Amino acid sequence: MACKFHRALLHCAENGSIIRSILNLSSPSVTSMTCCLKNNRRFKSRRSNDSLSSIIQPLPVKPASRNTDDINIGEELTGVLKKDKLLKLLSQFYNRDAVKKLAFENGLDNRLFHKAFISFRKFCFDSEQLPVDLHIVVSDILQGSGHVDDIFPYFLRHCYEIFPHLECMEDLKKISDLRLPANWYPEARSIQRKFIFHAGPTNSGKTYHALERFIGAKSGIYCGPLKLLASEVFHKCNSAGTPCDLITGEERRYASEDGTASGHVACTVEMASLTSPYEVAVIDEIQMIKDQQRGWAWTRALLGLYAQEIHVCGEASTIDLVRELALTTGEEVEVRRYKRLTDLTYLNHSVDKFENVRPGDCIVCFNKNDIYYVTRQLEQLNKECAVIYGSLPPSTKISQSNKFNDTSNDCKVMVATDAIGMGLNLAIKRIVFYSVMKPMMNDKGEIEMDLISTSQALQIAGRAGRYNTAYEHGEVTTFYSKDLRILKDIVKQPIEPVMQGGLHPTADQIELFAYHLPKASLSNLIDIFEMSCEMDSDTFFMCNSDDFKFLADMIEHVPLPLRVRYVFCCAPISVKQPFACAMFLKFARRFSRNEPLTLDWLCRQLGWPLKPAGNLVDLVHLECVFDVLDLYLWLSYRFPDLFPDVTMVRELQSELDSIIQVGVRNIVQLVRNQEYQSKGIVVEGAEGLGMQDGEDVEFVMKTRKQRIRERKPLQSSLEQDQRATKEAKAEAKLNNSKLAQKLVESGMVTKEVLDKLRSEWEAELRRDLPDSGEDSGDNNKR
């Protein structure tokens, strides 16, 4: 224990010096990092609350009114109650320790007891007449023939009315009992499975050996973290002569022309079937079981796949957790370790200048602003580069990777985020870390800037020197010299063992909760579930569901069955994109009216046909529209009747993908256009794409303020760019006015009068432009 403590202290001291050294840098990445550090309060989550009572709100109870006969039976029997004496009596009741103890024994902690008393007091004071039994008891107490504690049964009756969970708490605890998740999968428990863990670093051949067994089996299922990986396995398996289907959230492709299911299937891990029997299953990138948002899918696959032989691929840091989970199911784990197939060298010198960037380099950034900056600098040196980041469509990523891998292409440099860490085969000679800081989600669901972990650094660095390419000997360095020592310290640290796997409430569990709590909203049901659930915290954690709850709050007013509402909220969209959220809301509204979401309706909402991107804001919008089409396809496989135009929407998406690819190829020009527009310089053909249906967007932003209060830098600067552009146009128009010149030349108007007209025109223009002072104030607060 002492050893661990000293190591922890040493690690903290090292990190402190590392962060101090980083803050001394003067690179653009550090500037953005500092801004993110200041603003990370925006990502505070309600998961930091420490008890169930902190999220429970009392249901409103109407005061009792006089009955239809206008007879107050309580008054007839015992006389009129004076309100002031009633309030004094209730205060005595509230301050009684015996009452608080009784309340606690009935599930009311101090917070709930206080909320319940306020509601009970308001009910008693506002009611025109109290219930007869309560009226008689209060009257007896006031007359000295009863005790103040006699009010408690009636107070508890009121508590059950405003806090319905109190009556069914035992049932709720049974529903949310997550201590034995292996028992949720009866098919898997009906057979004796065997685990084979393929452990090794990037480019060690671990997944290759697992896939060899998968392809050679009579039947099999591959579960990967990305559509790209599932698609790659789909093509590889079919090329090897083994029919294989592809299943992702948005797509179904069959090996047979008649659509008959094959014995093999490649899918994203969330889409894995747990009821179909297989001879062999492959779970790739098992270390993602610790992911704060998606980890539940790997836990589900590990415990629930109905396969005789399960091949698990990933980092050795997850071996102990897999063994522990297998122990709960009585199954054995065989471990096969692999070494890297090619050499990888960590250089002793950094790149320092963009002039030193070489062919075969991949510069890794952790935010888009750095990608734009680096790309712009390389373009000024006539170095063409490929660009890859997470929000690009899969086909665009593949197109950019093929462009980089093509030895006959002039593009020899890549600028990318850590999206290159999985799913792409890249011929990289040298990985260059532009920064070693990355925004990450902590255990509490908060976003914060932190050093990349050892696991992340090794995963990215390992992309250099791929086996059987022109660059089999890989190199790793940093762009800035001060980062180099930090990176070397990071990769020397042992990878922290993965101790917990993620869990998430199922639709069935939430439906059972809703049966007991019919008046609770979906997001509140999730909150209550998370607070009341019991699980082995040494082995499992509850995945972050803030995005799910954000979407649930957004469509709470839309009349949908609970199961449908749950499915909608599982949709894979970015809640940081107002346009995507606004379309999500429109989808839900139209679905609730049982109106089909046709291609014509969708095109009208999207403003189709779309123009090619003229600047970075346009490109971000096009990427967002692509995600909306993905959302349509995702929902179409769950509700095919109301999302009928799958084939045409897929063609639409293919056309949009081509437009986005053009934008990415010309990203340097888009960066330049954005810079021009920020300075008020008009760029022909670079008009931004407008948002539709301001009411929906406003509603989305209002909902966002309730949950995460976050705004993208490009979107927040859009109004300033548009305002600067309008001012520049107006000024140019006024200066170049032929009529004004003729009036001055003819002597009808003097130059002084013209100048005065110009100033009045500019003042009027400024009044007409939208005021952004409130927005800037919000940003300052954030």
Side-chain angles (χ1 to χ4, degrees), residues 611-774:
K611 300 177 183 178
N615 53 44
L616 292 178
V617 176
D618 293 353
L619 182 60
V620 169
H621 181 76
L622 292 176
E623 293 167 4
C624 186
V625 173
F626 190 93
D627 291 341
V628 170
L629 298 179
D630 256 353
L631 172 64
Y632 183 99
L633 297 173
W634 190 89
L635 290 169
S636 71
Y637 287 107
R638 284 121 184 114
F639 309 107
D641 292 342
L642 292 181
F643 293 83
D645 296 334
V646 176
T647 303
M648 289 181 286
V649 168
R650 199 172 295 283
E651 292 174 357
L652 208 68
Q653 196 176 45
S654 178
E655 184 178 340
L656 177 58
D657 184 42
S658 300
I659 298 174
I660 293 175
Q661 287 190 39
V662 172
V664 174
R665 283 198 298 269
N666 300 323
I667 195 166
V668 174
Q669 183 61 45
L670 301 188
V671 173
R672 191 183 297 116
N673 291 349
Q674 192 71 38
E675 292 175 354
Y676 290 158
Q677 290 195 2
S678 66
K679 296 174 182 177
I681 302 173
V682 180
V683 181
E684 186 176 355
E687 293 84 359
L689 294 172
M691 296 278 287
Q692 289 102 18
D693 281 13
E695 183 181 348
D696 283 339
V697 176
E698 182 181 353
F699 177 83
V700 169
M701 297 307 293
K702 186 182 296 183
T703 308
R704 179 175 316 288
K705 290 177 183 178
Q706 298 171 358
R707 285 277 180 191
I708 55 176
R709 298 183 177 275
E710 200 241 355
R711 198 178 201 180
K712 295 181 72 64
L714 283 177
Q715 291 164 343
S716 63
S717 65
L718 178 59
E719 290 182 0
Q720 296 176 1
D721 294 342
Q722 290 176 337
R723 184 169 55 257
T725 302
K726 287 181 180 179
E727 288 176 343
K729 283 183 176 179
E731 185 175 358
K733 185 176 182 180
L734 193 59
N735 286 336
N736 297 325
S737 171
K738 293 182 179 179
L739 176 60
Q741 291 176 1
K742 289 180 180 179
L743 290 172
V744 173
E745 291 172 358
S746 64
M748 297 178 67
V749 177
T750 65
K751 192 174 184 304
E752 289 75 13
V753 173
L754 185 63
D755 291 339
K756 186 176 180 181
L757 287 172
R758 179 183 292 111
S759 61
E760 290 178 357
W761 168 258
E762 290 173 350
E764 184 178 351
L765 180 64
R766 280 192 293 271
R767 284 197 303 271
D768 292 339
L769 288 172
D771 184 15
S772 62
E774 185 178 349

Side-chain angles (χ1 to χ4, degrees), residues 586-587 590-591 595-599 601 632 642-645:
K586 291 179 182 179
F587 283 9
R590 193 169 177 88
F591 186 97
E595 298 175 2
L597 286 85
T598 61
L599 179 69
W601 177 86
Y632 183 99
L642 292 181
F643 293 83
D645 296 334

